[in-house]
Amino acid sequence: MPSITGDSMKAPELGINIGIHPHGKRNSIADLDVKVGHSTVIEGDDVRTGVTVLLPPVKNPYRERLFAATFVMNGFSKPIGFVQVNELGYIETPIALTNTLSVYTVASAVVRHMIGLNPELRSVSPLVMECNDSYLNNIRKLAVKEEHYFEAAKNASLDFEEGSVGAGTGMSAFEFKGGIGSSSRVVEIGGESYTVASLVLANFGRREDLVIAGVPVGLGLKNYPGRGLSMRGSISIVIATDAPLTARGLKRLAKRAIVGLARTGGYAYHGSGDVVLAFSTAQTVPLDKEAHLLSFLPDNALSPLFRAAAETTEEAIINSLLQARTIEGRNGRIRYALPVDKLVEIMERYGRIERA
């Protein structure tokens, strides 16, 4: 029988420490003043889905554009807006997450959101990332509507839920219940402190592959109930930092998120979409200004940021598991939450639980 999952908590609260850099105050992407909101859509016995919206810390993202870049490890994915980010090096809308077949509906909602803020707008590139939640969710019902995007945007806050909520409602990770997870790290470069944070939509992984802080947890839990559809799945990763980086530096930063993915047991299998969007909150690219001065860190200063991006992504994935709750969905399928009691037993066996 499934065991207890315990109260919702993150890895450090269990005594599981990942990496060497200290956490930010909230240990989430909110440490960059990025607000996150959810709209969870649960209907009947087969709709388990939703929308998650990230609001960058500017009044109007269309007029106060932020430097950004993307990286695709395995492209079995349907993000909207990546082409323009790659060409121009900035984002100009909020960032939305949802299920695979709802990216188009949500993109329309993002466009309407920006039209409402900008009477002069004639063109905009909405940013929507996705994973396929059809193991638990009847994705063909197209249950996500534009109103769910606006609900998530309205609910956006620095204090937000993780796990089985919003876009994470129907997601799975390592054949456990997955979803939304976040974490942050603080590094020092040249006497200045900078924060790097990740937010993930985790929906990938084979049970035996799961590794937590170097411990082969998945092997210890390989016979735990709830298995199925292990070789498919994806992850959408958003990296934010207040370090002054242009699109070129952010491209390099985005790549390091995959190091964190690999450390949890992600192998970018054929059917997986492993995509990363990274942006900096340090400076804006004003819409109407023809010329402006920029500052950016040199390449030889970036290594601490690279490690921080890997550490935050690794922990964010684990946090998505720890924060999730057991959900039953389509065709009576059940994804159980990661059993915290059994996890702690395994981690203690390897000497990887640090008690206060």
Side-chain angles (χ1 to χ4, degrees), residues 240-271:
T241 183
D242 57 4
L245 298 176
T246 63
R248 179 178 172 276
L250 289 163
K251 169 74 79 171
R252 302 189 70 203
L253 189 69
K255 293 177 181 179
R256 272 60 183 193
I258 302 302
V259 176
L261 170 64
R263 286 177 60 84
T264 67
Y267 287 92
Y269 290 121
H270 164 70

Side-chain angles (χ1 to χ4, degrees), residues 236-318:
S236 290
I237 303 169
V238 180
I239 303 284
T241 183
D242 57 4
L245 298 176
T246 63
R248 179 178 172 276
L250 289 163
K251 169 74 79 171
R252 302 189 70 203
L253 189 69
K255 293 177 181 179
R256 272 60 183 193
I258 302 302
V259 176
L261 170 64
R263 286 177 60 84
T264 67
Y267 287 92
Y269 290 121
H270 164 70
S272 184
D274 312 284
V275 301
V276 188
L277 171 71
F279 67 94
S280 171
T281 64
Q283 51 202 336
T284 63
V285 186
L287 176 64
D288 299 324
K289 196 171 183 179
E290 292 186 1
H292 52 277
L293 296 176
L294 299 175
S295 63
F296 58 91
L297 293 173
D299 286 341
N300 61 7
L302 301 186
S303 288
L305 297 177
F306 291 167
R307 178 158 187 156
E311 290 181 5
T312 60
T313 302
E314 180 181 0
E315 187 186 317
I317 292 167
I318 303 309

Side-chain angles (χ1 to χ4, degrees), residues 33 36 108 112 130 175 191-192 236 246 254 259 289 297 304 327:
D33 291 325
V36 178
S108 293
R112 291 186 189 278
E130 56 80 29
E175 300 173 80
E192 297 289 336
S236 290
T246 63
V259 176
K289 196 171 183 179
L297 293 173
I327 286 187

Side-chain angles (χ1 to χ4, degrees), residues 24-87:
K25 182 179 179 181
R26 296 176 183 268
N27 191 21
S28 79
I29 202 166
D31 286 319
L32 279 307
D33 291 325
V34 176
K35 294 180 179 179
V36 178
H38 305 292
S39 178
T40 298
V41 184
I42 295 178
E43 299 172 358
D45 59 5
D46 66 345
V47 171
R48 306 288 185 269
T49 192
V51 181
T52 295
V53 176
L54 286 68
L55 299 182
V58 295
K59 290 183 178 179
N60 187 334
Y62 179 73
R63 302 191 65 85
E64 303 168 83
R65 297 162 174 177
L66 297 176
F67 282 112
T70 71
F71 178 69
V72 177
M73 178 65 189
N74 195 63
F76 209 131
S77 187
K78 291 84 178 168
I80 292 179
F82 274 30
V83 170
Q84 182 169 301
V85 173
N86 291 336
E87 182 69 21

Side-chain angles (χ1 to χ4, degrees), residues 144-180:
V144 170
K145 309 300 181 185
E146 289 188 21
E147 65 196 58
H148 296 122
Y149 165 84
F150 286 104
E151 178 184 34
K154 182 180 179 180
N155 292 338
S157 169
L158 296 179
D159 296 311
F160 60 91
E161 290 184 65
E162 298 177 33
S164 312
V165 64
T169 302
M171 303 298 172
S172 307
F174 298 102
E175 300 173 80
F176 289 109
K177 187 66 192 69
I180 299 291

Side-chain angles (χ1 to χ4, degrees), residues 95-115:
I95 302 158
L97 304 167
T98 191
N99 74 62
T100 302
L101 295 188
S102 295
V103 292
Y104 316 102
T105 298
V106 173
S108 293
V110 177
V111 170
R112 291 186 189 278
H113 187 183
M114 292 301 98
I115 287 175

